[in-house]
Amino acid sequence: VKIVAPKYIFKSGEILQNKALLFGEKIEKIDSLESLKRDFPDVEEVEIRPNSLLMAGLINSHIHLEYSHHTTEYDYGSFMGWLNSVVRNFPTLTQSISEEKMRESLKLALKSGTTTVGAISSLGLDLDVLKDSPIRKVVFNEIIASQPHQVDSFYQLFLSRLERSEELKDRKFSPAIAIHSPYSVHKIVSKKVVELAVEKNYPLSLHILESKAERDWLDSESGEFRDFYLKQYGVARRVSQIDEVLELLQKKRSLLVHGVYLNCDELKEISKAGHTVIHSPISNRLLGGDRLDLEKLEEKKIDWALATDGLSSNYSLNLFEEMKIALFLHNRRDLESFATQLLLSATETPADILGLNSGRVEVGKDSDLILIDLEDWEFDRVEKIALHTVLKGGNVYRSYIFGEEVEI
Ligand SMILES: [Zn+2]
């Protein structure tokens, strides 16, 4: 165990002063430095920078590591334009997936204060890189299977990828499951996959209604997806409807990614089931989506967590950058309290939905912690600290995962 005594601690939305932490693999005690030194005279106090803020390590609950390369091949500006560029460039995007790029991306995530990622694994090509990284990871083995003739073989492939990830399981590597999206996964498959997630008690994630095109398609088999499917397969039939999928998900609290075009009735269902909406404002902007209505979610008591999405629809996996963009995008919200909320949306909220014993500076939680250098900034009110931390991009200089310092 060690003692750390930063100037400030961010704890559940509050700033503590004159407190220190006794921590090993877990946080053991929070008290004044004098008391901790008196009660634990043999424990070493770690050296830190003088004006430090300690907080829980960030949890980026939604990234795609496999698409970290050839990022300029994606067309930004509209969802269908982007999707068409994925299809058009599929050979280069999937056949030359670069382990080096994936490793680099994870390093940058660590460097910017992320201690856990929720990684969507579409092909299973990121598993070794994830396993080797010191970062904590929840690995969502994803299934896509829209056409009836694909259903059985794609499900078998998914099961074998899931099995492989189960072999890699350790305290930093947790297997999980993802359904790509209601438009791209047949309801027969979704049903089986949800049942599997319930049976194994794995976190479950799915992309939902990030575009108007999905809304039109799932509501009435119309809009831009109609042309897309006619061109791809010669037939254009939707393979599930939103209410069918939400009904399946009543059994399983899930991460619903984006959800920009969810309607009021759907939000009610989501609230009832206790799902968490994952908000990625940079990705939404680049893919021509609207701004997620956070007020509507909060009205319905739906939790939301901030995540970056992958480098195929973002320029960075830096969650502090995402917070800054969110701060400017949601321009009607009170600055100071929203900055605090953003820090919570990247720590406590994702920890809860991912089932992790981290994300909080609290006795008994895993010691996934970061130290931020506040340099020479002085504060007349501690309520300003969250805002300035977000504005100045974090400035993380040390990370601990399970109490062990990791190189950043
Ligand atoms: Zn995504």
Side-chain angles (χ1 to χ4, degrees):
V1 289
K2 297 180 272 281
I3 290 172
V4 64
K7 186 159 182 190
Y8 305 107
I9 298 174
F10 180 82
K11 180 180 188 291
S12 304
E14 306 277 322
I15 297 284
L16 305 182
Q17 295 182 85
N18 306 316
K19 293 284 179 203
L21 237 65
L22 177 78
F23 71 104
E25 195 177 303
K26 292 189 192 316
I27 299 170
E28 301 198 354
K29 209 164 176 188
I30 305 172
D31 207 337
S32 67
L33 180 61
E34 300 72 51
S35 305
L36 288 181
K37 281 198 156 167
R38 190 190 57 226
D39 297 346
F40 306 93
D42 299 331
V43 174
E44 167 213 11
E45 183 186 344
V46 295
E47 256 179 60
I48 59 170
R49 298 187 193 171
N51 204 11
S52 289
L53 167 70
L54 177 100
M55 62 176 287
L58 304 182
I59 300 170
N60 193 349
S61 55
H62 187 80
I63 68 166
H64 301 252
L65 215 47
E66 288 166 319
Y67 301 101
S68 297
H69 67 148
H70 295 303
T71 52
T72 53
E73 291 193 5
Y74 299 99
D75 290 347
Y76 290 153
S78 78
F79 184 74
M80 290 314 287
W82 176 85
L83 190 60
N84 279 314
S85 74
V86 174
V87 172
R88 190 174 65 243
N89 296 314
F90 202 68
T92 43
L93 294 176
T94 55
Q95 280 163 25
S96 54
I97 282 177
S98 153
E99 293 217 337
E100 199 188 316
K101 276 279 175 212
M102 292 194 276
R103 225 172 274 131
E104 227 174 79
S105 309
L106 276 183
K107 271 194 188 149
L108 286 172
L110 267 171
K111 209 177 166 54
S112 52
T114 299
T115 49
T116 301
V117 291
I120 305 290
S121 177
S122 304
L123 306 161
L125 300 175
D126 49 357
L127 297 183
D128 292 328
V129 171
L130 282 162
K131 175 78 181 176
D132 290 344
S133 167
I135 208 163
R136 272 177 94 162
K137 45 261 164 183
V138 176
V139 181
F140 289 98
N141 296 278
E142 184 183 57
I143 184 155
I144 301 191
S146 64
Q147 303 305 304
H149 70 269
Q150 299 172 333
V151 164
D152 289 332
S153 60
F154 284 24
Y155 186 68
Q156 288 311 317
L157 282 171
F158 156 79
L159 284 182
S160 60
R161 281 190 285 118
L162 180 65
E163 218 168 276
R164 170 90 214 289
S165 78
E166 286 170 330
E167 285 161 17
L168 299 176
K169 187 179 164 170
D170 61 32
R171 69 173 181 164
K172 286 186 173 181
F173 189 118
S174 315
I177 291 176
I179 295 168
H180 176 257
S181 173
Y183 74 81
S184 60
V185 182
H186 199 286
K187 60 188 167 193
I188 295 170
V189 182
S190 295
K191 185 165 186 288
K192 282 208 255 189
V193 172
V194 174
E195 278 163 6
L196 193 64
V198 171
E199 179 200 314
K200 292 187 175 261
N201 196 23
Y202 285 160
L204 178 68
S205 170
L206 83 158
H207 297 99
I208 192 163
L209 292 171
E210 68 180 295
S211 65
K212 172 83 166 42
E214 285 160 79
R215 182 84 262 178
D216 294 341
W217 174 248
L218 292 164
D219 283 348
S220 55
E221 289 184 333
S222 65
E224 293 174 286
F225 262 110
R226 197 180 149 72
D227 301 332
F228 177 84
Y229 280 122
L230 281 175
K231 211 171 126 197
Q232 285 282 310
Y233 300 107
V235 281
R237 305 293 312 187
R238 64 186 162 183
V239 290
S240 57
Q241 293 177 40
I242 288 290
D243 52 354
E244 292 170 336
V245 174
L246 290 179
E247 200 185 320
L248 287 176
L249 292 177
Q250 288 292 344
K251 295 184 211 153
K252 176 77 192 166
R253 281 180 71 214
S254 306
L255 295 87
L256 304 186
V257 183
H258 304 308
V260 177
Y261 294 87
L262 287 162
N263 66 31
C264 255
D265 290 339
E266 289 156 357
L267 289 175
K268 265 186 218 155
E269 289 297 304
I270 286 165
S271 173
K272 220 164 62 187
H275 302 312
T276 296
V277 171
I278 306 302
H279 182 31
S280 299
I282 297 178
S283 175
N284 293 157
R285 172 71 174 115
L286 290 180
L287 270 47
D290 270 336
R291 173 173 60 184
L292 181 67
D293 193 338
L294 296 179
E295 286 73 25
K296 249 192 207 160
L297 298 187
E298 288 164 5
E299 232 170 69
K300 301 239 161 23
K301 301 201 172 0
I302 298 168
D303 285 341
W304 56 272
L306 196 75
T308 62
D309 213 339
L311 290 174
S312 45
S313 59
N314 198 329
Y315 48 86
S316 164
L317 299 183
N318 181 339
L319 259 180
F320 277 112
E321 174 73 7
E322 198 78 29
M323 286 184 219
K324 199 196 292 186
I325 296 286
L327 193 77
F328 283 87
L329 182 73
H330 298 282
N331 60 324
R332 300 263 163 187
R333 302 184 74 111
D334 174 69
L335 268 175
E336 286 182 5
S337 59
F338 189 47
T340 296
Q341 208 182 353
L342 286 168
L343 292 178
L344 296 172
S345 78
T347 50
E348 295 191 359
T349 314
D352 290 345
I353 191 68
L354 293 173
L356 299 166
N357 183 41
S358 61
R360 284 176 171 84
V361 181
E362 218 174 83
V363 172
K365 292 289 172 191
D366 299 334
S367 302
D368 292 4
L369 301 166
I370 55 175
L371 280 159
I372 290 168
D373 191 350
L374 301 179
E375 298 180 356
D376 57 354
W377 319 339
E378 287 173 24
F379 297 100
D380 53 343
R381 288 186 301 112
V382 292
E383 291 77 15
K384 289 181 178 174
I385 292 177
L387 175 60
H388 287 273
T389 300
V390 171
L391 288 175
K392 303 207 179 186
N395 221 1
V396 177
Y397 70 91
R398 196 178 300 164
S399 288
Y400 294 96
I401 297 179
F402 286 114
E404 282 169 20
E405 187 176 342
V406 291
E407 198 189 321
I408 63 168

